[in-house]
Amino acid sequence: MPGYHPQDIEKKWQDFWKDHQTFQADNASDKPKYYALDMFPYPSGAGLHVGHPLGYIASDIVARYKRLRGFNVLHPMGFDSFGLPAEQYAIQTGQHPAITTEQNISTYIRQLSALGFSYDWSREIRTSDPAYYKWTQWIFLKLFNSWYNLDTDRAEPLKTLLDKFASNGSAGIRAAGDEQERHDFTAGQWQSFSEKQRLQAVHPYRLAYQQDTYVNWCPGLGTVLSNDEVKDGLSERGGFPVERRLMPQWNLRITAYADRLLRGLDSLDWPDAVKEMQRNWIGKSIGASVRFPVYLRTADGEMKPQAEEIEVFTTRVDTIFGVTFLVLAPELDLTLAMGERAAAQADYSPEASQTYSELQAYVKTATNRSERERQTDVKSVSGVATGCYVQNPFTQEFLPVWTADYVLAGYGTGAVMGVPSGDQRDWLFATHFGLPIRQILDGQQHLDQQADPTKEGRYINSGFITGLTYDEATEQLRLRLRANRVGEPKITYRIRDAIFGRQRYWGEPIPIYYKDGVAYGVAEADLPLVLPEIDEYKPTETGEPPLARAQDWLYKGKYPYELSTMPGWAGSSWYYLRYMDPHNAERFVSEEAEAYWQNVDLYLGGAEHATGHLLYSRFWHLFLKDLGLVTANEPFQKLINQGMILGRSNFVYRMSITWIVKAQEGHDLAKNFPPVIFVSKNTFDAYEAADEAAISKIRDFIDNYASDFNRRNPLVEIGPSGVQAVTPLHVDVNIVENDVLDIEAFKNWREEYANAEFILEDNGTYTVGVEVEKMSKSKYNVVNPDTLIERYGADALRMYEMFLGPLEQFKPWNTNGMSGVAGFLKKLWRLYHPQDGAFAVTDEPAAPAELKALHKAIRKVEEDIERFSFNTTVSALMITVNELTALDCHKRAILEPLVVLISPYAPHLAEELWQQLGHAAGSISHAPYPEFREEFLVEDVVNYPVAINGKVREQLQFPAATTPQEIEAAVRATDILERFAEGKPAKKIIVVPGRMVNIVV
């Protein structure tokens, strides 16, 4: 059958590319390199819907274009194949997660291949493959055996730290981390330490360390969840309660890299919004640390000093004279400890005991709220007094200490100064609990209504800084802090160390074992530490992680392994490096391959990974750079966040009708109950608008239907109230076309609709409702690309997704638009096969108009791809094909370059036409990109609008080479002034070459 039939050619070329490894990249090439990478997918059981390939299509277009421009392109694909969904399915069914994962990956590969992506499948990786996660474990061991030297500002092997201990003990060592976790010792003491004592002394310096950490513990899932996985106190998956719990957890010291992660953002070609999210997440704050001595009130009312001090970090030390209370984070150990001591100091008087009981209850409630929930809840105010006090080091005033959930343990020291005149949350807190609000700047206004954080004006009520400006006061306070030994200038970061453990099965085993209660790293020669087989995939009955079920799982047959597994982001933090050299059994990536590819030139993925995957990958890369294992400074040079394709939901309208069912003994009422009735959208709208014809139509239908049904089923008749309501229900969009429901398909879709009745439009169709919303299986608006490829072809789907709009924007999906793109490809085919007949491209010389159309397209396509404007490229190609069709062009000189231009977008069709043009099969991927020639766009004749005093009155044509002087003379020789200026002489004639003529009279 003549004509363009994508189903006939697309599978052919996909098989060809696979068999010939057309897109296999070379690690040693004289060509310039280009590394285009998609954020690799988690292979869910649902497979792909049309929203998923958006970024993949864009990166594939760039990869194919770069090959045409002479680049050696690395464009790989793999799978982030560890994850909680597969494990949950395993818990429910008993099936090993590896089986589910393998099935899902097979589906993904089939769907991705059907879209014609130019992936180098020889480099495919899977994070759950032991050959891959061997190196994830290896990198973890490098972190475990490294520390961060603040003097050199980089990570170093632990050996350099041990050498310092042997020479000088712990004195003078500046290392990233919590100094309070470390202990002082001399070189002599170090020499006398046992092996266990040495390891315990070293542990707080490691970049991978274990520490009691507050985590989101989900008993229902038996695992720790990230903040992103918790919503309103429940797990995002399954809706199980989540509680904040202090547990021993492995952590990675990302905080050591906070400043370098900030500085590195300036060198990246990333969206500003993503860079700003990372800056906010890292949260660098320049301020001061202030120490407040703690006091407790005795039973007789006396303030008794304690040995402790509460350290507060503040970015506004200038407000210290406005402090009227302190607030501790509920999860701090200090909060309950001080409250208990305050009650004891007051001899557990009824008032003190009540305060402590309220404190205990509040702490329990507040610590079970997620940090995200606490940060975003700016409206509610809650808190309780601890019963203890601190003394302001400058005013000597005693201030009450409270706890409130708006203060987080992870920011600063977990304690904040309450300055209600300058901070809105402090103001709300003070107002709610009747605490003082003290004005400290003469520029503050309306403090009875809200806080005023201004720095303008001069200080009042502020001791020795009264009368000073902000800069003057800040400098004086910094000097006094040090002089009085009550504080010092300090820089802090909001970012916290990354929790690196999950109490689940389906993840990378952490290569740690325990001897005498101390953590040791598994020897590198013993990697990979492979997941053991277990009988069930849920936690043990005693609450231990699933790996505790493994029988005789011991290192060297003696020492117990760590039972947590790595988090989901572990394997995805370095996968871009493994693609460079995926089959290397001796190294995570060879030095030669890494030196050649260096980093990713173009990275496409969702903006939701800004403060997770992208930040962790940058951290791991900087660490590997410190150890001399990679050469590039950053992993991803350019980042594009593709927008979301929104689903176009369809609705049917179910009528709720009152029916009277007459009971009869021994009669099955279910079999006699009337089926549901659906009313078509347009008829329903008219009914809602009180259109008499629609009202009559619906009433007549129901009455006639009810009478007929009652004759066949005497037990059922319509009630007196008739139609009660009309309920819109989501319907599968795949059984709707051009907003018309396929009624038979609908009846087969759901068993309960098999006997449904329909009130149709006057033309006999059922129209559906439409709404644009997020694609979701629950809304039945997920469009399977398999269906569209089968109907329109992969090339049409690729071009349509690009045609929808700018890549970065959200775009609504409408399957109806697919037919237009499919029609364009048929029109392109006919340039090479007139009237859908045989191939008939001629060798005739190209005409100027044809060359002009081609070279406009060459320039436009090149410019648009280079700036990632894919939708405008599709539009330009459509215009070009229309122009060439109008010119009845079938000439090789035009059509051969054209097929190269279109090949990144419609590669299957391009390959077929390229072969028909006489080229070797599959060779278009490395064809030279057409050269743009400016001379073909030069016009022979130019239209000049002629304006008089700015108003266009006439159009004149001149040869393109005509000079402004010649044009002016020609204009003066016309009768334009007589016709439009009443014969007035021209004061001036202004000629804009190639544009227009303006006459001033």
Side-chain angles (χ1 to χ4, degrees):
M1 181 179 177
Y4 168 56
H5 303 287
Q7 295 77 9
D8 296 338
I9 64 173
E10 291 184 348
K11 186 65 168 62
K12 163 189 169 182
W13 288 109
Q14 289 161 15
D15 290 342
F16 181 94
W17 297 331
K18 180 179 179 181
D19 294 341
H20 292 79
Q21 298 188 0
T22 302
F23 309 114
Q24 187 168 337
D26 190 350
N27 279 359
S29 173
D30 294 333
K31 295 179 179 180
K33 69 97 179 181
Y34 192 84
Y35 187 175
L37 182 62
D38 303 304
M39 291 186 187
F40 68 165
Y42 173 77
S44 70
L48 297 175
H49 63 62
V50 294
H52 293 131
L54 181 68
Y56 302 160
I57 296 169
S59 67
D60 193 61
I61 289 169
V62 174
R64 289 178 176 274
Y65 167 77
K66 289 294 184 179
R67 288 190 193 95
L68 297 173
R69 300 310 301 253
F71 285 82
N72 179 30
V73 175
L74 174 56
H75 189 40
M77 176 51 71
F79 299 95
D80 192 5
S81 49
F82 275 130
L84 192 57
E87 182 160 20
Q88 285 303 111
Y89 186 75
I91 292 172
Q92 295 163 10
T93 65
Q95 178 174 278
H96 197 289
I99 298 173
T100 308
T101 301
E102 179 62 35
Q103 293 169 346
N104 295 345
I105 287 176
S106 296
T107 299
Y108 266 64
I109 290 176
R110 177 186 59 77
Q111 290 186 301
L112 292 169
S113 298
L115 281 158
F117 295 133
S118 61
Y119 293 133
D120 180 355
W121 282 109
S122 70
R123 295 175 183 254
E124 179 201 343
I125 59 175
R126 304 176 184 189
T127 57
S128 58
D129 181 355
Y132 177 83
Y133 69 69
K134 165 186 177 178
W135 297 107
T136 309
Q137 294 172 336
W138 181 84
I139 295 172
F140 172 85
L141 289 176
K142 292 295 183 186
L143 287 157
F144 180 69
N145 291 313
S146 297
W147 68 296
Y148 199 93
N149 188 339
L150 292 175
D151 289 329
T152 59
D153 196 23
R154 66 182 181 88
E156 296 178 3
L158 278 180
K159 184 182 183 306
T160 63
L161 178 66
L162 301 182
D163 290 344
K164 291 177 183 290
F165 287 166
S167 300
N168 301 303
S170 61
I173 294 177
R174 297 179 62 248
D178 188 352
E179 294 180 2
Q180 296 179 359
E181 293 289 322
R182 299 166 184 163
H183 303 289
D184 295 332
F185 51 85
T186 65
Q189 289 173 319
W190 171 257
Q191 298 295 343
S192 66
F193 281 171
S194 66
E195 179 185 41
K196 180 176 181 178
Q197 288 175 317
R198 287 190 177 190
L199 288 172
Q200 289 173 331
V202 168
H203 193 78
Y205 292 84
R206 297 182 188 271
L207 290 183
Y209 65 95
Q210 198 174 36
Q211 186 180 61
D212 285 346
T213 305
Y214 275 100
V215 296
N216 301 314
W217 171 249
C218 180
L221 295 176
T223 188
V224 170
L225 301 177
S226 68
N227 288 335
D228 292 338
E229 296 171 314
V230 180
K231 185 174 179 62
D232 299 326
L234 300 175
S235 63
E236 189 175 49
R237 183 171 185 84
F240 297 103
V242 176
E243 60 189 58
R244 297 281 289 171
R245 182 184 290 185
L246 195 63
M247 296 177 65
Q249 285 289 320
W250 283 96
N251 294 263
L252 299 188
R253 211 178 294 281
I254 190 175
T255 51
Y257 288 86
D259 206 50
R260 288 170 65 185
L261 288 168
L262 271 177
R263 295 198 305 266
L265 290 171
D266 296 334
S267 67
L268 298 177
D269 184 6
W270 286 16
D272 290 338
V274 174
K275 292 200 282 189
E276 192 59 26
M277 279 191 278
Q278 289 209 357
R279 290 189 181 101
N280 292 336
W281 189 265
I282 295 167
K284 183 177 183 178
S285 298
I286 300 174
S289 172
V290 184
R291 293 183 289 276
F292 289 78
V294 176
Y295 284 77
L296 297 179
R297 191 187 295 275
T298 63
D300 58 7
E302 179 187 353
M303 285 294 185
K304 185 175 181 179
Q306 305 297 301
E308 292 86 4
E309 294 177 321
I310 295 178
E311 183 180 358
V312 172
F313 172 78
T314 176
T315 58
R316 291 288 305 273
V317 69
D318 60 295
T319 65
I320 196 165
F321 288 93
V323 179
T324 58
F325 58 95
L326 249 64
V327 187
L328 300 178
E331 61 267 38
L332 286 180
D333 292 339
L334 180 66
T335 303
L336 278 179
M338 296 306 299
E340 185 175 17
R341 284 175 55 190
Q345 187 68 56
D347 290 335
Y348 294 102
S349 67
E351 181 181 354
S353 296
Q354 177 67 20
T355 297
Y356 182 55
S357 295
E358 291 175 356
L359 177 65
Q360 287 178 301
Y362 183 82
V363 166
K364 182 177 180 180
T365 300
T367 53
N368 281 335
R369 298 182 71 197
S370 71
E371 289 189 0
R372 173 172 292 182
E373 186 182 0
R374 287 161 59 182
Q375 284 178 299
T376 56
D377 182 9
V378 296
K379 294 182 180 179
S380 60
V381 177
S382 68
V384 296
T386 64
C388 67
Y389 297 82
V390 293
Q391 188 176 50
N392 188 317
F394 289 116
T395 68
Q396 309 307 309
E397 180 182 10
F398 292 111
L399 307 172
V401 178
W402 290 66
T403 186
D405 62 5
Y406 75 90
V407 179
L408 304 175
Y411 178 71
T413 63
V416 301
M417 306 187 314
V419 186
S421 67
D423 182 272
Q424 185 61 21
R425 295 202 75 161
D426 291 345
W427 186 91
L428 291 169
F429 192 84
T431 302
H432 184 81
F433 290 106
L435 299 170
I437 299 174
R438 183 177 300 143
Q439 184 176 355
I440 53 172
L441 274 158
D442 59 15
Q444 289 179 317
Q445 299 180 357
H446 311 300
L447 294 182
D448 58 330
Q449 302 172 29
Q450 61 184 10
D452 184 350
T454 185
K455 298 177 182 178
E456 302 300 321
R458 294 183 179 274
Y459 289 85
I460 59 175
N461 304 321
S462 295
F464 62 86
I465 63 169
T466 297
L468 301 182
T469 64
Y470 168 76
D471 290 336
E472 294 167 343
T474 301
E475 181 60 26
Q476 284 295 314
L477 283 163
R478 287 175 177 167
L479 293 172
R480 291 287 185 103
L481 284 172
R482 279 182 166 155
N484 296 353
R485 297 183 178 180
V486 294
E488 55 275 320
K490 190 174 183 180
I491 296 175
T492 67
Y493 298 88
R494 182 177 291 112
I495 191 172
R496 298 294 94 196
D497 284 341
I499 295 175
F500 197 74
R502 296 288 185 270
Q503 287 63 50
R504 67 183 190 209
Y505 173 75
W506 192 232
E508 299 94 333
I510 295 177
I512 291 291
Y513 67 94
Y514 295 92
K515 185 170 69 172
D516 195 18
V518 176
Y520 288 76
V522 169
E524 292 182 8
D526 293 328
L527 298 180
L529 173 57
V530 179
L531 274 173
E533 294 294 329
I534 57 177
D535 56 350
E536 288 187 89
Y537 304 102
K538 60 184 179 182
T540 68
E541 289 70 17
T542 57
E544 290 182 292
L547 286 180
R549 297 180 179 275
Q551 297 296 315
D552 301 320
W553 196 50
L554 302 169
Y555 186 59
K556 304 294 186 184
K558 294 192 295 185
Y559 306 113
Y561 283 114
E562 168 64 47
L563 298 180
S564 297
T565 52
M566 297 186 192
W569 53 266
S572 63
S573 293
W574 72 281
Y575 77 113
Y576 61 95
L577 292 168
R578 189 61 176 172
Y579 280 137
M580 299 176 184
D581 193 16
H583 307 298
N584 193 328
E586 305 301 323
R587 204 174 188 271
F588 74 111
V589 58
S590 72
E591 294 182 45
E592 296 78 13
E594 190 280 330
Y596 177 72
W597 294 110
Q598 293 191 359
N599 62 3
V600 177
D601 296 286
L602 173 65
Y603 198 32
L604 268 85
E608 67 272 15
H609 299 292
T611 56
H613 159 64
L614 289 172
L615 202 55
Y616 296 140
S617 294
R618 296 183 62 219
F619 159 45
W620 279 40
H621 192 92
L622 286 172
F623 168 70
L624 294 172
K625 171 83 171 176
D626 285 349
L627 297 191
L629 298 170
V630 297
T631 55
N633 292 321
E634 291 280 346
F636 315 117
Q637 190 55 42
K638 181 173 182 62
L639 173 72
I640 295 179
N641 296 134
Q642 79 271 15
M644 184 184 295
I645 288 184
L646 302 173
R648 191 173 188 270
S649 296
N650 290 137
F651 297 87
V652 290
Y653 297 86
R654 183 182 65 196
M655 305 189 75
S656 298
I657 300 172
T658 302
W659 300 91
I660 298 175
V661 182
K662 303 172 183 177
Q664 181 172 318
E665 188 175 351
H667 195 85
D668 187 352
L669 292 178
K671 292 183 178 178
N672 289 280
F673 203 78
V676 291
I677 298 176
F678 293 94
V679 60
S680 188
K681 174 69 166 59
N682 295 340
T683 300
F684 169 61
D685 287 345
Y687 175 83
E688 287 281 277
D691 179 82
E692 288 297 330
I695 293 172
S696 297
K697 179 178 180 178
I698 291 175
R699 284 178 177 170
D700 290 346
F701 180 93
I702 293 174
D703 289 342
N704 292 334
Y705 173 76
S707 298
D708 181 63
F709 191 83
N710 182 244
R711 282 194 297 272
R712 290 181 282 115
N713 302 276
L715 296 178
V716 182
E717 63 182 28
I718 192 169
S721 53
V723 179
Q724 295 296 297
V726 175
T727 305
L729 301 173
H730 283 93
V731 64
D732 187 352
V733 296
N734 295 292
I735 57 175
V736 175
E737 183 173 1
N738 293 321
D739 298 337
V740 174
L741 179 70
D742 183 333
I743 292 176
E744 288 306 312
F746 178 75
K747 289 182 175 182
N748 293 326
W749 176 51
R750 300 274 291 272
E751 184 179 356
E752 63 266 35
Y753 300 149
N755 297 315
E757 294 288 338
F758 300 85
I759 302 177
L760 305 175
E761 305 296 341
D762 293 338
N763 63 3
T765 63
Y766 185 99
T767 57
V768 297
V770 176
E771 185 177 326
V772 175
E773 52 190 348
K774 182 180 179 180
M775 273 199 182
S776 168
K777 288 187 293 183
S778 65
K779 295 176 172 57
Y780 303 111
N781 63 354
V782 172
V783 180
N784 190 323
D786 297 352
T787 304
L788 297 178
I789 291 171
E790 182 180 348
R791 183 170 183 181
Y792 297 103
D795 286 339
L797 178 57
R798 290 168 61 104
M799 295 201 78
Y800 181 59
E801 293 217 8
M802 293 298 96
F803 186 58
L804 283 173
L807 179 63
E808 297 89 346
Q809 293 182 7
F810 281 41
K811 300 168 280 289
W813 178 265
N814 185 353
T815 300
N816 299 338
M818 284 287 297
S819 57
V821 175
F824 156 70
L825 292 176
K826 290 178 181 178
K827 185 177 286 188
L828 174 67
W829 175 267
R830 293 184 190 118
L831 289 176
Y832 302 80
H833 304 82
Q835 289 79 50
D836 281 334
F839 181 79
V841 173
T842 73
D843 291 324
E844 296 178 52
E850 296 166 338
L851 289 167
K852 179 181 177 182
L854 172 66
H855 283 268
K856 279 196 304 182
I858 293 172
R859 180 170 64 180
K860 179 66 173 172
V861 170
E862 180 178 352
E863 290 176 350
D864 286 354
I865 292 182
E866 291 286 358
R867 57 191 180 92
F868 308 99
S869 179
F870 305 106
N871 61 310
T872 53
T873 303
V874 175
S875 298
L877 290 169
M878 289 178 171
I879 292 169
T880 301
V881 169
N882 285 338
E883 289 177 349
L884 294 176
T885 299
L887 294 169
D888 196 26
C889 176
H890 307 289
K891 299 170 182 176
R892 178 182 295 274
I894 301 298
L895 300 186
E896 191 164 270
L898 178 64
V899 77
V900 176
L901 283 186
I902 206 166
S903 64
Y905 289 83
H908 308 88
L909 175 56
E911 287 278 25
E912 184 71 14
L913 294 174
W914 188 249
Q915 186 181 35
Q916 291 181 5
L917 285 163
H919 299 282
S923 62
I924 196 170
S925 296
H926 302 287
Y929 190 80
E931 180 185 356
F932 169 67
R933 293 175 60 180
E934 181 76 39
E935 63 264 28
F936 291 127
L937 301 189
V938 175
E939 301 283 354
D940 294 332
V941 177
V942 179
N943 285 322
Y944 279 85
V946 180
I948 298 178
N949 289 344
K951 187 173 184 179
V952 175
R953 295 293 191 178
E954 187 71 279
Q955 295 275 347
L956 295 178
Q957 280 192 347
F958 296 98
T962 307
T963 66
Q965 294 79 10
E966 291 171 333
I967 292 172
E968 179 179 346
V971 169
R972 290 184 182 277
T974 66
D975 61 352
I976 290 176
L977 290 174
E978 294 178 11
R979 286 188 289 123
F980 298 107
E982 300 176 353
K984 295 178 183 177
K987 292 182 180 179
K988 185 185 296 183
I989 296 180
I990 303 169
V991 178
V992 181
R995 299 288 298 278
M996 70 174 297
V997 177
N998 192 26
I999 304 173
V1000 181
V1001 298

